[in-house]
Amino acid sequence: MSRRIAYQGEPGANSHQVCKEHYPDWEALPCASFEDVFAAVEQGDADLAMIPIDNSIAGRVADIHHFLPGSGLHIVAEHFLRIRFCLMGVPGTTLDTIRTVHSHVHALGQCRKIIREHGFKPVISGDTAGAAREVAEFADPTQAAISPPLAAEIYGLDILAEDVEDEEHNTTRFVVLSRELVEAPAGNGPVVTSFIFNVRNLPAALYKALGGFATNGVNMTKLESYMVGGEFTATQFLAEVDGHPDDPGLRRALEELAFFTTDVKVLGVYPADPFRAEVSR
């Protein structure tokens, strides 16, 4: 049986693209929602999940923090994808025939320049690849889609303009989730450790909780807060740091963290994507 990796979106979406790049021999399983992606792995319908977690323009991906802590899944890898959008239409479409352009609301917001330059009317679709499928079904040269280039290949559309996104640095970070906890070995290259913890709503609680990372020289690359159970009296944090829990500095920092927090849970210990080193130069 072929191994399966689940992603949110329709065939041709950016999540599909990153699956093809890093798991080319796996069957990519499209899912309608993030909840369905998590369920596919939890129930054994897929072996892994490819989940977008951050975008360099839009920030954190909504809803992921709701599913991740309670899912029982573990982060085993990360991948960065440079987001590229193309303007595409059915054969015979030209820039002059287009009146409306379809895409996900975030993609439309990230491609404002070409929309404004040509006076296109933006129409929101549920998914970038879904927009390409819809345009193929319309078979109307006045309708176009802003979608990843893979979608043009899948739905038989012509690419009319490439790299139409406003910002060249548009990049999405994806994490790979597994039912099994597979930790990267220590001392074998850069490692990222992701974990969650709760702090009580007390003065200086977060300051005390994080002090150990500073004093032990641990670089924290992410810290995001969320309400727990819709209450204002407790806060949960998702944090990511450079290093392995077996490294002396990080081990001491996590020990100190436990004194000032509750429910510390390591979500994953995984190799750092080479992209991190490239952007830090």
Side-chain angles (χ1 to χ4, degrees), residues 205-233:
L206 181 61
Y207 173 81
K208 293 176 182 177
L210 299 182
F213 295 94
T215 56
N216 286 288
V218 176
N219 183 38
M220 182 169 287
T221 57
K222 175 194 281 288
L223 181 66
E224 295 184 349
S225 62
Y226 314 98
M227 287 190 298
V228 179
E231 299 180 0
F232 292 93
T233 56

Side-chain angles (χ1 to χ4, degrees), residues 31-273:
C31 298
S33 67
F34 289 123
E35 188 173 12
D36 292 337
V37 176
F38 279 82
V41 179
E42 291 167 1
Q43 297 169 8
D45 295 326
D47 302 282
L48 299 175
M50 183 71 74
I51 295 290
I53 194 168
D54 298 297
N55 177 266
S56 60
I57 295 176
R60 73 186 184 192
V61 177
D63 295 334
I64 298 305
H65 61 278
H66 292 302
F67 297 122
L68 192 55
S71 68
L73 302 183
H74 307 277
I75 303 175
V76 296
E78 67 170 0
H79 302 293
F80 289 79
L81 179 69
R82 164 75 164 83
I83 301 301
R84 289 183 166 87
F85 288 121
C86 297
L87 181 69
M88 57 189 70
V90 295
T93 302
T94 67
L95 290 175
D96 293 331
T97 65
I98 298 171
R99 297 293 177 268
T100 59
V101 61
H102 302 251
S103 198
H104 187 272
V105 60
H106 287 165
L108 293 172
Q110 293 168 14
C111 302
R112 289 190 178 96
K113 292 179 182 177
I114 190 170
I115 295 173
R116 185 170 58 248
E117 178 184 351
H118 294 279
F120 298 148
K121 177 184 176 182
V123 176
I124 296 174
S125 297
D127 179 77
T128 53
R133 175 185 53 77
E134 292 167 356
V135 167
E137 293 172 352
F138 294 150
D140 179 355
T142 70
Q143 311 279 334
I146 289 177
S147 303
L150 179 60
E153 176 185 335
I154 291 175
Y155 300 108
L157 300 179
D158 288 347
I159 293 179
L160 308 174
E162 297 180 320
D163 296 334
V164 298
E165 61 277 1
D166 297 340
E167 304 292 342
E168 293 183 358
H169 64 77
N170 190 355
T171 301
T172 295
R173 175 179 174 241
F174 293 81
V175 292
V176 180
L177 305 179
S178 170
R179 290 186 300 276
E180 307 298 328
L181 175 61
V182 181
E183 291 192 356
N188 191 30
V191 169
V192 178
T193 297
S194 297
F195 57 95
I196 55 175
F197 61 92
N198 291 355
V199 297
R200 290 177 295 168
N201 190 20
L202 296 173
L206 181 61
Y207 173 81
K208 293 176 182 177
L210 299 182
F213 295 94
T215 56
N216 286 288
V218 176
N219 183 38
M220 182 169 287
T221 57
K222 175 194 281 288
L223 181 66
E224 295 184 349
S225 62
Y226 314 98
M227 287 190 298
V228 179
E231 299 180 0
F232 292 93
T233 56
T235 303
Q236 185 175 80
F237 290 86
L238 168 63
E240 292 181 348
V241 295
D242 293 339
H244 194 284
D246 290 343
D247 296 340
L250 181 52
R251 184 176 65 249
R252 289 192 296 267
L254 290 173
E255 290 172 353
E256 292 185 37
L257 177 69
F259 283 112
F260 302 104
T261 62
T262 61
D263 303 321
V264 178
K265 178 182 178 182
V266 174
L267 298 177
V269 181
Y270 47 95
D273 189 285

